[in-house]
Amino acid sequence: MKVHRPFFSKTAVLALFFAGLVQPAGAQDVLPEQGGHAVVMDAPIMPSLMTLGTMVDLENPASYLYPDWSNSYAHNYGNVKLPDSVVISMDGYCMPTDSTRITDTFGYRPRRGRWHMGLDVKVLTGDTIRAAFDGKVRVSDYERRGYGHYLVIRHPNGLETTYGHLSRKLVEENAIVHAGDPIGLGGSTGRSTGSHLHFETRIVGTAINPALLFDFPHQTAVTDCYVYKAKTAPVYYKVKSGDTLGRIAARNQTSVSKICSLNGITSKTVLRVGQSLRIK
């Protein structure tokens, strides 16, 4: 286990930002180009409430983004509005597991009619799972048909990380943890066909492809700073009774061809109630 502290100090991260050396990375499910420690882009707008003080507040992490603290839900934030762009620092990260084997990637699964919102990393039952960043445990729960035993940790950089299918949880809700701390043991609880870690990275409930941030095969970070662009974040729709692709497109100001392209389906695909579709 290696905690990476840091590529840059927090002061240096802000200096990079104001110097224009951090750029928006485009759509959240497209891998950015790698080159050097920082991706060179146009400078985004830094949230006005983000200061060095709030960035390291572990009692109330990322209060500049999140309206409250609740242990009762995993990812539902209603209509909370994000800034146009948010700088996500990888400062002080730790790989959640030493495993380098990805068994399932982020993206839509046409055969199952749903999105896979994280990465599956092969681990053995009992393998140590570690906190990816400093933070505070917000949710510790069990879903029989979903995550199994899982944890959600909120971090000062704005991310919430989810660790699913654990055989055992080693931390409780509201506990403060540090990058590299053991938080659970690998397992195959919930909807799982074999022992693995289901790992998600989200911001205010919206999933970001973890492969944009963590390179598990090489056990390193993809970049020092990732910029989340709210305007290019994917939007999902859950199919209701009576829905057709045409009706869904009309209600959401998009087109049938766009929905089909985003989800790898055709206009003749039969929709199922409860199915999740990406619409933007």
Side-chain angles (χ1 to χ4, degrees), residues 11 17 62 77 104 162 175 206 268:
T11 302
F17 167 77
Y77 287 91
D104 202 357
T162 302
T206 299
K268 297 181 180 179

Side-chain angles (χ1 to χ4, degrees), residues 131-225:
F133 303 96
D134 294 354
K136 188 175 181 180
V137 180
R138 190 173 64 78
V139 178
S140 173
D141 208 344
Y142 176 77
E143 287 185 355
R144 184 171 65 88
R145 296 183 178 179
Y147 292 125
H149 290 291
Y150 74 100
L151 296 165
V152 178
I153 302 177
R154 183 177 294 175
H155 308 285
N157 64 3
L159 286 179
E160 289 193 327
T161 51
T162 302
Y163 310 78
H165 306 306
L166 303 174
S167 61
R168 182 182 174 190
K169 294 171 286 188
L170 303 179
V171 292
E172 299 179 349
E173 287 179 347
N174 302 316
I176 290 176
V177 297
H178 297 281
D181 283 353
I183 57 171
L185 302 179
S188 184
T189 57
R191 187 170 60 190
S192 171
T193 57
S195 184
H196 69 282
L197 170 67
H198 176 79
F199 179 64
E200 294 182 0
T201 49
R202 293 181 181 249
I203 185 165
V204 192
T206 299
I208 301 172
N209 185 351
L212 298 172
L213 307 169
F214 294 90
D215 182 347
F216 281 90
H218 296 95
Q219 288 288 293
T220 188
V222 174
T223 184
D224 285 350
C225 294

Side-chain angles (χ1 to χ4, degrees), residues 48-214:
S48 59
L49 295 178
M50 182 183 282
T51 68
L52 290 177
T54 57
M55 289 177 73
V56 296
D57 181 6
L58 295 183
E59 286 293 343
N60 191 17
S63 58
Y64 55 89
L65 288 178
Y66 295 88
D68 58 19
W69 178 268
S70 172
N71 306 122
S72 62
Y73 56 88
H75 307 305
N76 182 16
Y77 287 91
N79 296 317
V80 175
K81 182 174 175 56
L82 278 165
D84 289 341
S85 57
V86 180
V87 177
I88 298 173
S89 170
M90 295 295 290
D91 220 19
Y93 78 94
C94 178
M95 299 301 295
T97 169
D98 294 334
S99 176
T100 61
R101 182 183 169 194
I102 302 295
T103 58
D104 202 357
T105 57
F106 180 97
Y108 185 68
R109 302 293 178 265
R111 184 164 55 89
R112 300 176 185 175
R114 61 183 177 86
W115 279 80
H116 187 240
M117 297 297 193
L119 290 180
D120 288 348
V121 187
K122 180 60 181 177
V123 298
L124 300 179
T125 298
D127 281 356
T128 300
I129 307 302
R130 302 180 183 277
F133 303 96
D134 294 354
K136 188 175 181 180
V137 180
R138 190 173 64 78
V139 178
S140 173
D141 208 344
Y142 176 77
E143 287 185 355
R144 184 171 65 88
R145 296 183 178 179
Y147 292 125
H149 290 291
Y150 74 100
L151 296 165
V152 178
I153 302 177
R154 183 177 294 175
H155 308 285
N157 64 3
L159 286 179
E160 289 193 327
T161 51
T162 302
Y163 310 78
H165 306 306
L166 303 174
S167 61
R168 182 182 174 190
K169 294 171 286 188
L170 303 179
V171 292
E172 299 179 349
E173 287 179 347
N174 302 316
I176 290 176
V177 297
H178 297 281
D181 283 353
I183 57 171
L185 302 179
S188 184
T189 57
R191 187 170 60 190
S192 171
T193 57
S195 184
H196 69 282
L197 170 67
H198 176 79
F199 179 64
E200 294 182 0
T201 49
R202 293 181 181 249
I203 185 165
V204 192
T206 299
I208 301 172
N209 185 351
L212 298 172
L213 307 169
F214 294 90

